[in-house]
Structures are given as C-alpha cells and as structure tokens.
Amino acid sequence: MILIKSIILYGSHYGSSRRYAQKLSEQTNIPAVCYKDTPSLSDKNPIIYLGSMYAGGILELKKTLHGFSLRDRQKLILVTVNLSDPELQENQKNIRRSLQKQLPAELYNKAKIFHLQGPINYQKLSLLHQTMMLHRSLQNKPAEKWNKEDQAFIETYDKQGDFVEMHCNQL
C-alpha cells in the first residue's frame, strides 16, 4: 500500500476551487480531494486547502480543520478563491480577517496564505449570493464613494469573466 504524503483539499460551491485544485493536482501529482472526503491529516505534508469565499468565510475550512494541529515540520497552505480581486489590499485584509476568525491562532500563524480570483458569472450565482453582493457593494452608497471593489462589481455585473483559466496557467 502506498501512503499519500501530500494532499490538496478543496471546498467549492460553484466549481472554481475544484478546478484550481484539479489543475494543481495534475501539475504536482498530489491527489485533490473534496473536503467532504478528508482523510486523517496527521501524516500529510504539505496540506493544501483551496477554498471558496462565501459570506465572509472560506467554505468548510473551519469544519475541515476542526481539532487539527500541525506537527513538527508539517506545512499548511491556504488558498482562497474569491469573486473579488485578490490583488486589492482591502480585499486581502478582509480575507485574512475572515481566516483569523475561522482558524485557531496556531494554524493561522503557521499557514502560508495565497489568494486567487474565481470566475464571475452572475447567471450561475444563487439569488441569495447575487443579493448579498449587490447589497454589500451598493447599499446607500453614492457612486463617488464607491471603492475599487464596488466599481469592479458594477463593471462586471451581468457579464462573465473566467479568471480560473488565466491563473491555472500561472500555477
């Protein structure tokens, strides 16, 4: 029996985190596993978790890593996948604040954290997700007070853009 030393876990609602995980798996020969099928992580190194952002949290990250602590030399790599532009400092701060709420300090402080952008296809978003985005971005805000994120939302609303393919080619 061959022991798997490394693992890629993913939490994906619309499929972009799964696509990133599968591409990374192809490139590294590390198996990609949905968080629902997470095996014991005690012998895995590194542990790579790609998770989609929803309502200020990384999909199932807290549940997946509940009760887990890193052993000596064990590495945790967290990759967030978000509709928002991960290059914007404001977005990175918000994502990191969210991660700090979801993870014990020991895991957060030792994790390497990266951010990727997922595709934008408003027709595929649930009505709840569309409403949340619209409410967050434009609630009682005059256009002159929109930040870069609000502006990007307006510019892409009801359009499609697939950043996954672009970023997968850079992995």
Side-chain angles (χ1 to χ4, degrees):
M1 182 167 117
I2 299 172
L3 287 177
I4 300 169
K5 296 289 184 192
S6 303
I7 191 164
I8 299 168
L9 300 171
Y10 63 89
S12 190
H13 188 80
Y14 293 106
S16 51
S17 292
R18 183 188 72 244
R19 287 171 56 201
Y20 276 127
Q22 290 171 340
K23 184 67 171 183
L24 186 58
S25 176
E26 288 171 17
Q27 293 176 345
T28 61
N29 290 320
I30 298 172
V33 178
C34 178
Y35 73 89
K36 295 175 188 175
D37 302 317
T38 300
S40 169
L41 299 175
S42 61
D43 65 337
K44 306 297 186 260
N45 194 26
I47 299 163
I48 304 166
Y49 191 93
L50 288 104
S52 300
M53 293 277 307
Y54 294 101
I58 309 301
L59 186 65
E60 298 297 339
L61 178 65
K62 184 175 185 176
K63 182 179 176 182
T64 302
L65 297 179
H66 177 76
F68 176 73
S69 57
L70 290 169
R71 295 180 176 199
D72 267 351
R73 295 179 230 189
Q74 200 173 24
K75 293 178 184 155
L76 176 62
I77 301 168
L78 301 175
V79 182
T80 67
V81 180
N82 196 336
L83 286 178
S84 304
D85 183 351
E87 297 298 316
L88 296 176
Q89 285 297 113
E90 182 180 339
N91 291 342
Q92 288 184 21
K93 284 182 199 175
N94 291 336
I95 293 168
R96 287 175 183 266
R97 257 192 304 261
S98 175
L99 285 170
Q100 286 176 315
K101 290 178 186 175
Q102 288 186 279
L103 293 173
E106 182 249 340
L107 288 180
Y108 178 82
N109 292 332
K110 291 181 180 178
K112 298 276 187 195
I113 301 170
F114 302 91
H115 311 291
L116 295 171
Q117 190 167 10
I120 295 174
N121 185 341
Y122 292 97
Q123 285 77 32
K124 287 189 177 183
L125 291 178
S126 70
L127 183 57
L128 175 64
H129 287 155
Q130 286 181 30
T131 304
M132 286 170 49
M133 288 181 66
L134 186 60
H135 179 74
R136 187 196 83 211
S137 293
L138 305 176
Q139 178 189 14
N140 302 321
K141 255 191 210 179
E144 61 273 4
K145 293 198 176 189
W146 290 347
N147 61 25
K148 288 180 183 178
E149 189 66 23
D150 298 330
Q151 192 66 39
F153 175 78
I154 292 302
E155 289 171 4
T156 61
Y157 189 74
D158 211 24
K159 296 182 178 126
Q160 295 180 24
D162 190 350
F163 302 98
V164 175
E165 283 303 316
M166 176 180 71
H167 291 298
C168 277
N169 293 331
Q170 297 171 356
L171 289 177

